[in-house]
Amino acid sequence: MSHGPDGEGTTVQYEREGAWVVVAHGDYDTSTIAPLEEALDTAARKHSRVVLDVSGVSFADSTFLNLLLRIHHMTSLRIAGPPRQLRHLLEITGTDTVLDTRQNIQDALP
């Protein structure tokens, strides 16, 4: 996996146990969200179950949250391994009660 310039997020994708897994890594805001948005849009259109591994996300803002909510409405989305900053963002916005969040990738797989 390669890192984008200036902390830009990178993504890796693969199929595992009947789910399409997208691995997000790095920082996500309005200037860096596009590659992840494209990957999740494509995954949601092609797969009934999508797992987003966010354990490598170092920063995420409301742009990232809005993307998660949109994809959640398109397919069965599970969020795996949110780090502390992202867990806190999910909690303070109340999206932790909407999104299916799991402690790690193994717990998120069907």
Side-chain angles (χ1 to χ4, degrees):
M1 177 185 331
S2 64
H3 297 276
D6 303 322
E8 182 177 327
T10 59
T11 58
V12 172
Q13 302 178 57
Y14 58 92
E15 191 167 356
R16 183 165 167 197
E17 297 181 32
W20 189 254
V21 179
V22 177
V23 181
H25 192 272
D27 297 349
Y28 293 97
D29 59 22
T30 56
S31 64
T32 60
I33 198 78
L36 180 61
E37 184 172 21
E38 183 178 327
L40 286 174
D41 274 337
T42 300
R45 292 180 207 292
K46 294 182 177 180
H47 304 280
S48 60
R49 286 177 288 180
V50 175
V51 174
L52 178 61
D53 180 349
V54 295
S55 59
V57 172
S58 50
F59 174 80
D61 67 4
S62 60
T63 307
F64 183 81
L65 267 187
N66 287 330
L67 174 61
L68 297 185
L69 290 169
R70 189 167 58 78
I71 299 301
H72 165 75
H73 289 290
M74 294 173 65
T75 190
S76 173
L77 176 67
R78 289 183 179 171
I79 311 301
R84 191 168 135 215
Q85 182 265 345
L86 187 51
R87 277 196 323 268
H88 182 68
L89 181 64
L90 294 170
E91 290 167 5
I92 64 172
T93 59
T95 51
D96 62 328
T97 63
V98 176
L99 297 172
D100 187 353
T101 305
R102 306 296 174 99
Q103 189 157 355
N104 55 50
I105 191 73
Q106 291 77 20
D107 291 345
L109 292 170

